[in-house]
Structures are given as structure tokens and as C-alpha cells.
Amino acid sequence: MCGIIGYVGPMDAARVVMDGLRRLEYRGYDSSGIALGVDGRLYFAKRAGKLAKLAELLADSPLPVSHQGIGHTRWATHGGPTDTNAHPHLSSDEQVAVVHNGIIENFAELREQLETDGVVFASQTDTEVASQWLARELRACGDLVQAMRATCGRLKGAFTLVAIDAAHPDTIVAARRNSPLVVGVGEGENFVASDVAAFIEHTREAIELGQDQVVVITPSTVVITDFDGNVKKGRQYRVDWDAKSAEKTGYDWFMRKEIFEQPRAVADTLLGRFDAAGHLMLDEVNIGDDELRAIDKIVILAAGTAFYAGMVARYAIEHWTRVPCEVELASEFRYRDPIVGPRTLCVTISQSGETADTLMAIRHARAQGARVIAICNTVGATIPRESDAVLYTRAGPEIGVASTKGFTTQLAACYLLGLWLAQVRGTKFGDEVADMVDELNAMPALMQQVLDRAESIYRLAHDLAANKDFLFIGRHVGYPVALEGALKLKEIAYLHAEGFAAGELKHGPIAIISPATPVFVIVPPRGRDQLHDKVVSNIQEVRARGARVLVLAEAGDESVVPFASTLIQLPSVSTLLQPMLAILPLQMFACELATVLGHDVDQPRNLAKSVTVE
Ligand code: M6R
């Protein structure tokens, strides 16, 4: 949701914090701010708008040089995106400055209590309650760490808090509950941040913080405790990507770069997960075979794009394992009192590993006794940590808010998981699994072939740039592709775009088609004739209403040629794997159309990369 960084060390803290915020800006970008401690005083600057506004402010009125700083880039929850509501929030006595990610659910009650005691608030945020409360505890005990623990004990909800105290220019105190926080371990300097991207140019050594923990960093020490003061040891790990991976490397947008990274990313997802004979080896998924054989239901939980990956996965997993598989929006799951138990396997899918809706769904599932396997891209994130096992997608950092390589690598991981379950449960013979593994192995090269035809997709985006409504239809695994194609266009082009199950169109939505409405149709490969022919009939239905039909079909499928206003050819693959190819033109189309319309593709309005509030 928001991006947070804190730095103590010999470098110019303002520069380190601003560089870190640039890398975190994808997490929230409606306002930003920075606070520094110098000679027993706190200095700060904050601005509504993108980070560039804060950079302009600092260029006009530089802050003094400091070696301790915190910064924040915001996605507003409580209080609009104004200068005053931007973080950091200083206490009235200007003794502490706090940045915060999350939502403090009992902020109104705490604010009332503080106001009764005479505290005057400057902003409408829940965060200012934390800073005022922290200052009050600090006045009482004289120690920022103790004050932080006491404050955390009073807060309900989700929060990462990072604080500095004017009296201690070499110390930063941070705490987390249900919200991400990672420590960057340098030499003679240390960092805290929402994610490793913030400090990756300085160090690749990171420490995960557990739930309800407080960390104190100085240039030479990192001390972790729980909220009761018991010392804890965080898991230290080395980040397996570098600063260059988080740069645009010549592309105009991160999203476009990430689209073109997909063949490599999918290859990395598959790497080392099967032997030469095509036998799957998911050793990291350390749940016993007996337990996996006993499973009688699979429930996939995810949000947004990851949910659509889950919809595709359901077809593959059910088909290969013959275990009933449900897929559910994480945000809805626990409210329907779902039937899960020790024989249920939950599969959660999350690029960031921090999505609050998904995290809460996991907790609910585990409380009912279910086992949880996370498919995740972010090593050490909360969701994999709270799951029984994890299959990392290894896509590298995804910075563009609209997920692209996140989706295709999630699909690859889901296919691996499905085949592995089939292997363990014996519902597929070894040679059948090996054949699918061969097909999966061939996917990166086929994806590259689709990406190589980007120019024709870009031309289409220019042709259709004046349209305000777009429809996407598909059946079977083509249906989630249609939903994902529509989501991409909504997110970054701000256009009305809807995805439908092709067979459902005639039950109502077909009424919205008017002459020349662009309708993208995902046509399945010809292997399953019924499925293919039904979609060809659906094409004719929309065509008869005057729609402009943009057909995605496998090369050589002549049956669609007479009905296609535009034909986008895809390499031939099995039906179940086609989404990995069919989504690529739709991603490129949305990226180009949003560019033509002059939108900020990487930071679309109202959105944030990682949604850490429910
Ligand atoms: O990090 P996650 O995969 O858990 O995120 C889930 C959704 O918030 C995410 O996919 C969102 O829908 C993207 N902006 C889609 O492009």
C-alpha cells in the first residue's frame, strides 16, 4: 500500500531515503515525505502528489545534512492526499516523527483520548494518532523502544511503524503487525523498508521480521524483540536479484519491460523443478506425500490478477488430479463460513506475498486445519511465511502496478503444482506428466514468438484508441484470460472493459454490443472440438451485432478467418497452456493504448502495487 524506508549510516540520509522512495513509489504515489534528525532537532518535508513534487521542494529548500532519515510514499486510506496528511507525522512536541503503512482500526478512540488530554491534531490521518501516542509514551518512559512497544500494545489493525526521536540521531525504531517490514544489513549502515527494492543498491543482505516484532537499528547493530521485549532472531537471507533488475533498462515503462521479461521469468519459474526424465521435484513444498494423497478438496485463494491465474489453475488441477478444486476471491472467503478442514489443501497465489485479503483468508483456512501452499514471487513475504509450504515464482521484482510477468509465472507455478500433485497421487502416468513438462519447457520460446509480433498489436492499439468500451470473451481457460485482458485495460487505460464467459454473453451482456464495439475473442486450440466450435459460434453472435471482432486463435485455424476483423495468431499448444500465450497480446495492447492516451502506465490513478489493507 505505502512505501517506507529508514536509514542510519554515514551517507547523506536525505539522498538515500529519496532514492529508496523512488524504488518504492509503485506501492503508493499520492503524496510523500521525509524526516531527518540533526543536532537534537527533527526536520521534515512533505508534499501531495508524486515523488517528483517532493524532490522539487527539497531542491528549492534543502534540508540539513543528516545521517538518520525516514521516508514515506503514500496510498491514502484515512484522510485525503494533501500536504498535511502526507507522512511523516510529527508529534506536537516535535520529538518524534513516524511513517506508517496499514490501517489503525481503533484510531478514533485513541484520538479522542489524546484530544481529551489536550493534544491538538494537525491531520486527519490514523498515523498521527500513532505519533502522538508514541511521544506520550516516550515522555513517560524516556526510551523510544519501550515507547514503541507500549504504543503497539494499544493499536488495533495492521501497521508498520518506523520512528525517529530527535534525541537519538543514530537510531531508528520500527515495528510491524500484519504489514510488511524488512531490515537491510549494510556495513556500518542499516536500513528498514517495506521491501528490499528500497535498499537493494546498497545491500542485498536482508532480515525478515516476524509478526508483532520491534526492530532497533543503529549504523552497527540490529536488535529484534517481540512486543513484550523478548529478544528474537530474524531469518537473514541474500536477495537473489540486483539493483539493475529494478531499473527500466531502456523501456519507457516498467510494465513494458516486465511484459518482455516473461519468457525469461517463466523459464526461471520452471528451472530445476523436474529432472531429465520429466519427473517433478518440488522439494521445497515440504508436505508429506501421505498427506497430499489424503486431500479431498483443493481451494485456491487469491485476489485480482492472481485470482484469474487461480481460475486457470482450477481447470488444470482438477483435470490432472481429479480432486475437486474451488477458486475463491480471498476477500470473500472467510465471510461465507467455508467448509475446509485437515483434508483441504489451500493454494494461495500472490505476487507480493503481502495482500491483506489473501493473508486473512490463509489464517482462516489454517485455523480450520487446512494445509496451505503459497505460490508467491517475494521471498520472505508474510504470506509464504504464514503458509505451510511455498513455491516461489522467481519472476524478479515486478514494479509496474499492472501485473504481467506475475500472472504468467503464477500460471507456470500452478501447472507445476498440479502436475506434481497428479504425480504424487498417481492420477497421471509418468510419461503423461513428462509430456506436459516438455510442453511447459517449450513455452518460453513460444511466448517470445508472440512478443516478437508486438508492432502489429501496437498498431491495433493506435487504431482503437478512440474507443471507450471493450469486451473480452472466452470459454474454459479462455474465460479468465478475458477477465485478465479486461482488467489490464481498466487499470491503466481507465476504459470501460469487461470480460465475459463467451457462452454467457447471450444471457444478457450481448445487449451492450453496438456497431463497431471492439470484442476480443480468445479461441481455444482446435483439439477439443466442442469447445472450439462453440467459441466460433459465439464469434458469429457478436459479429451479427456489428461488433469489431479481434480474434486470438492458433495459427492455421482457418475456421475463424471469415469472421475476424483482426486475427492475432498464437502458436499451437494444449488448451490448458494457451493462457500463457493468449494473455501476451492483451497485455501489450493495454500497455500501448494507455501510452497513447497519455496515462502513467506504471502508476495508474487510485491504485497501489501491494494492497496491504482489507
Ligand atoms: O500481490 P498480489 O498478487 O497478491 O496482488 C493481488 C492483486 O492486488 C493484483 O493482482 C492486482 O489485481 C494487480 N494490480 C493486477 O494488475
Side-chain angles (χ1 to χ4, degrees):
M1 237 50 254
C2 303
I4 291 180
I5 177 168
Y7 171 75
V8 273
M11 292 189 282
D12 173 4
R15 189 181 60 73
V16 176
V17 168
M18 286 300 286
D19 286 349
L21 289 182
R22 260 176 220 113
R23 291 191 196 281
L24 291 179
E25 203 183 5
Y26 69 94
R27 298 179 68 94
Y29 35 82
D30 60 38
S31 53
S32 55
I34 172 171
L36 308 170
V38 183
D39 295 335
R41 258 194 74 183
L42 296 180
Y43 294 81
F44 70 94
K46 44 193 200 170
R47 263 290 182 271
K50 295 205 168 165
L51 191 62
K53 296 275 180 210
L54 178 64
E56 278 167 26
L57 176 67
L58 290 171
D60 289 349
S61 324
L63 297 177
V65 172
S66 166
H67 301 289
Q68 170 207 45
I70 59 175
H72 187 270
T73 177
R74 180 169 188 244
W75 186 85
T77 53
H78 292 73
T82 61
D83 287 354
T84 315
N85 287 336
H87 302 207
H89 287 281
L90 271 68
S91 54
S92 307
D93 60 7
E94 302 208 346
Q95 192 62 33
V96 297
V98 171
V99 291
H100 164 226
N101 176 28
I103 290 182
I104 298 168
E105 285 168 359
N106 59 337
F107 86 102
E109 168 201 329
L110 297 178
R111 181 171 174 138
E112 199 182 315
Q113 233 173 299
L114 286 161
E115 282 175 334
T116 308
D117 296 344
V119 175
V120 178
F121 279 77
S123 75
Q124 287 89 49
T125 63
D126 51 345
T127 307
E128 195 184 346
V129 167
S131 73
Q132 301 286 14
W133 202 281
L134 186 66
R136 170 191 177 133
E137 298 286 354
L138 182 60
R139 283 191 296 275
C141 71
D143 174 49
L144 188 63
V145 192
Q146 265 191 53
M148 179 64 92
R149 286 191 201 111
T151 303
C152 291
R154 294 304 302 261
L155 304 181
K156 293 197 177 118
F159 51 83
T160 298
L161 296 171
V162 178
I164 52 175
D165 161 12
H168 294 96
D170 62 347
T171 305
I172 291 178
V173 177
R176 75 168 286 260
R177 166 179 289 164
N178 293 335
S179 181
L181 179 64
V182 59
V183 178
V185 185
E187 287 186 12
E189 60 185 1
N190 285 308
F191 307 77
V192 284
S194 315
D195 73 51
V196 295
F199 52 72
I200 192 73
E201 65 180 306
H202 305 292
T203 178
R204 288 167 70 179
E205 292 302 318
I207 300 179
E208 286 173 11
L209 234 66
Q211 177 73 330
D212 287 1
Q213 291 188 343
V214 176
V215 63
V216 184
I217 61 166
T218 68
S220 54
T221 58
V222 174
V223 178
I224 301 171
T225 56
D226 62 19
F227 284 178
D228 296 323
N230 304 305
V231 175
K232 297 282 168 188
K233 194 165 160 41
R235 186 183 77 88
Q236 186 157 345
Y237 62 99
R238 189 166 168 78
V239 181
D240 59 5
W241 48 273
D242 57 15
K244 205 160 154 274
S245 318
E247 300 290 353
K248 282 192 244 172
T249 58
Y251 285 94
D252 52 349
W253 305 112
F254 278 111
M255 180 184 178
R256 206 185 302 268
K257 173 188 172 231
E258 288 156 7
I259 289 172
F260 284 90
E261 280 174 352
Q262 291 178 100
R264 173 78 264 143
V266 166
D268 285 347
T269 309
L270 301 175
L271 201 69
R273 283 173 165 156
F274 35 79
D275 63 17
H279 185 84
L280 282 153
M281 305 177 305
L282 301 190
D283 299 339
E284 70 252 65
V285 185
N286 51 353
I287 299 181
D289 287 2
D290 288 344
E291 243 181 297
L292 292 173
R293 286 189 199 105
I295 281 159
D296 62 7
K297 178 157 99 169
I298 297 171
V299 179
I300 301 176
L301 299 166
T305 289
F307 173 70
Y308 298 145
M311 284 178 73
V312 174
R314 175 175 54 176
Y315 290 95
I317 291 177
E318 250 179 13
H319 181 66
W320 291 331
T321 66
R322 309 311 298 153
V323 180
C325 180
E326 298 170 5
V327 54
E328 175 128 13
L329 286 169
S331 55
E332 289 294 320
F333 180 63
R334 62 184 168 140
Y335 303 105
R336 71 171 170 92
D337 194 11
I339 302 166
V340 287
R343 295 180 66 191
T344 309
L345 177 68
C346 284
V347 177
T348 58
I349 309 174
S350 174
Q351 188 286 130
S352 64
E354 300 293 349
T355 300
D357 290 321
T358 310
L359 183 59
M360 295 307 160
I362 291 180
R363 288 187 183 158
H364 186 82
R366 292 193 80 192
Q368 317 295 311
R371 300 286 262 161
V372 177
I373 297 180
I375 289 177
C376 183
N377 191 37
T378 312
V379 175
T382 311
I383 287 173
R385 286 214 310 271
E386 295 207 13
S387 301
D388 296 293
V390 55
L391 190 59
Y392 283 114
T393 49
R394 307 175 185 151
E398 190 179 63
I399 310 284
V401 164
S403 185
T404 51
K405 63 177 178 174
F407 181 69
T408 44
T409 54
Q410 284 161 356
L411 291 179
C414 287
Y415 293 135
L416 287 174
L417 184 65
L419 288 171
W420 180 68
L421 289 172
Q423 180 181 284
V424 171
R425 294 171 64 94
T427 47
K428 284 275 162 212
F429 292 116
D431 59 329
E432 293 173 310
V433 173
D435 285 350
M436 280 314 294
V437 165
D438 281 350
E439 263 214 69
L440 272 177
N441 252 338
M443 290 310 283
L446 300 178
M447 294 170 83
Q448 189 58 53
Q449 286 178 21
V450 180
L451 294 172
D452 286 345
R453 282 182 248 130
E455 281 310 319
S456 60
I457 303 296
Y458 294 162
R459 276 197 298 279
L460 185 64
H462 287 252
D463 276 5
L464 295 178
N467 285 272
K468 300 283 175 249
D469 303 290
F470 290 83
L471 300 188
F472 296 74
I473 61 173
R475 263 177 202 258
H476 189 259
V477 291
Y479 171 38
V481 173
L483 293 168
E484 173 63 5
L487 177 63
K488 291 289 86 91
L489 213 49
K490 285 185 244 200
E491 282 187 294
I492 58 173
Y494 316 148
L495 291 168
H496 171 236
E498 292 202 54
F500 293 109
E504 201 53 24
L505 210 62
K506 59 186 176 300
H507 296 289
I510 201 163
I512 62 179
I513 293 180
S514 56
T517 302
V519 181
F520 283 90
V521 188
I522 297 101
V523 181
R526 284 157 297 173
R528 298 189 184 185
D529 278 334
Q530 266 208 351
L531 183 64
H532 173 270
D533 294 353
K534 289 279 187 289
V535 177
V536 175
S537 305
N538 298 138
I539 295 180
Q540 294 175 49
E541 287 160 14
V542 294
R543 176 93 183 173
R545 270 83 190 169
R548 177 165 176 176
V549 188
L550 313 146
V551 174
L552 289 88
E554 68 177 346
D557 183 352
E558 296 300 325
S559 62
V560 295
V561 174
F563 316 114
S565 317
T566 301
L567 181 59
I568 301 166
Q569 294 195 326
L570 303 171
S572 289
V573 290
S574 309
T575 303
L576 284 170
L577 299 193
Q578 196 202 36
M580 289 180 93
L581 302 179
I583 194 56
L584 304 178
L586 304 184
Q587 294 170 343
M588 291 191 282
F589 179 79
C591 183
E592 186 64 11
L593 187 50
T595 307
V596 175
L597 295 177
H599 298 318
D600 185 333
V601 168
D602 286 334
Q603 296 180 349
R605 69 185 182 201
N606 304 338
L607 296 179
K609 181 68 183 162
S610 160
V611 185
T612 53
V613 292
E614 279 183 275

